[in-house]
Amino acid sequence: MSSAPAQAGWQFKKPSVIPGFGLTLGFSLAYLTLIILIPLSGLVWRSASLGWTDFWAIATDRRTVKALEISFGTAFIAAAVNVVFGTLVAWVLVRYRFPGRRVVDAMVDLPFALPTAVAGIALTTLYASKGWIGSLLEPLGIKVAYTPLGIVVALVFIGLPFVVRTVQPIIEEIDKEVEEAAATLGASRFQTVTKVLFPGLAPAVTTGFALAFARGVGEYGSVIFIAGNLPYVSEITPLLIVIRLEEYDYAAATAIATIMLALSFGMLLVINLIQAWTRKRYG
Amino acid sequence: MADPELYPADQLHEHASLATSESPASRLLLMAIAFAFLGIFLVVPLVVVFEQAFAKGIGAFLEAIREPDTISAIKLTLLVAAISVPLNLVFGIAAAWAIAKFEFRGKAFLITLIDLPFSVSPVISGLVYVLLFGATSLLGPWLKMHGIVILFAVPGIVLATIFVTFPFVARELIPLMQEQGTGDEEAALSLGANGWQTFWHVTLPNIKWGLFYGVLLCNARAMGEFGAVSVVSGHIRGQTNTMPLHVEILYNEYNAVGAFAVASVLAGLALVTLVLKTLLEMRYGAEIAATRGH
């Protein structure tokens, strides 16, 4: 421990006078392994032991493909909606002063704090044909509850704080001088916002989108109440996993879960790369 | 609520130039759109929970809450949170200590692994335990032989809850303790304190609000978790039903008052969480890591 750091070639840890490294790291690793790593590798191992033919048959089953399409499609739309409105909400919260701003700011975190099942039954009641909002939309011929549109509504609710909370601190950091410089150079306010401010916000917006999207793809509790859960129409992937489990079809449940995990990790990776690229481009 | 000291500056600013802010008309329009969106998506759903819970009067509400199955769901939820939150608290402190106070190889990878449960669907978080402990698993027959019941019982529910709430305390403490550095601890040690004294009297007071913040969020999720718990619970009324699962059962039985009565208790818990969270951010914002959200 006390040997000079410069002389040691490869070393796992830099020397330090602070005690407890072995204990805390050891405990953390043991706990992480037991709770997260072993169970997750169990899933992958089970899936691998299925064999390629069986796995492929489950993966290309029409119901599986449809459920994946629905999950990823609705999560994408909801995240896109949240990018627009979440950025607007963050802008209003940072730039404008109005009474009750703190209350509004606190409310944005409601979807983090409210149990998803509660959100699910509340949204379903609201958007059902007799509900407060559903009864207003029905004359217009718009049905939300028990349709794919309902899934989008639930996922917009769930994903909103992810976008607001990633974009908000970046808007707070914007240097007013940049806007003043743009204005001095003759840009209109609209040009300043779209050409100067938005590119700077792009990495944060992308991150918020990615977080909302990833959460939306896996979301279960709030969606199953409002979706109607019709196979091929409004059946999300997590629900299909639960259905296969209830049928004791562990092989199918495992395979679908593995596909979903792989797709979400892959997508997060792609989005991270996009983010690194935008950061490089716009600083 | 509003920050009065900001008004003069704001007004001054408005006179100074319209070029670095929106015109009053577009300000109003943007605010109206933002409020309408938040109203429809956040406020109205919250209001509807309480409206439905008290739709048939306070008597019906109280009756629904006093129902034995509801009471046992409340007790189970409290029990599960009482086991899983302290375990994740200890883990959070240990992980943050190792990561923030020392330099070692693979640290970034370890942080990524800690965040992993956030990118896993709750349903999959439950499924992994079904595969691990279920009848068809490697462990299944051994568990059965020894009479150990994990799935469709309290241990399974606790495990699934720990899985989904795993990162909360750690990800709150890691940036906070990294920012604080090791100076205070080194001073205490050089003055003769031992490791435990240093942690108890120096580190813990430094991180207590951040720690409380993490525990608050961890607890909210632990009590409200639905998907993961739903997969491992078995839904036995009065035995393995947590509050969110009980909401589902009552709702599917068309017992709207009952479902929303239990839901309103959970919504009340969410509101308390938000109030405490806001108070913490207002008073100890600097002491709490900048990682708001989650």
Side-chain angles (χ1 to χ4, degrees), chain B residues 22-73:
Chain B
E22 292 76 46
S23 68
S26 38
R27 270 176 182 234
L28 273 180
L29 180 68
L30 291 179
M31 276 166 74
I33 298 172
F35 291 155
F37 182 78
L38 292 177
I40 291 171
F41 277 94
L42 299 182
V43 181
V44 179
L46 189 63
V47 172
V48 105
V49 171
F50 291 99
E51 190 262 344
Q52 291 282 318
F54 293 102
K56 296 207 173 118
I58 190 139
F61 171 82
L62 287 176
E63 204 174 301
I65 294 293
R66 280 203 218 106
E67 217 231 320
D69 287 345
T70 306
I71 301 275
S72 82

Side-chain angles (χ1 to χ4, degrees), chain A residues 3 22 27 49 76 85 107 109 126 130 133 151 202-203 211 234:
Chain A
S3 66
F27 174 76
S49 65
F76 188 90
F85 288 97
M107 275 297 288
D109 280 334
L126 270 180
K130 282 184 190 152
I133 299 179
I151 306 177
L211 292 171
S234 57

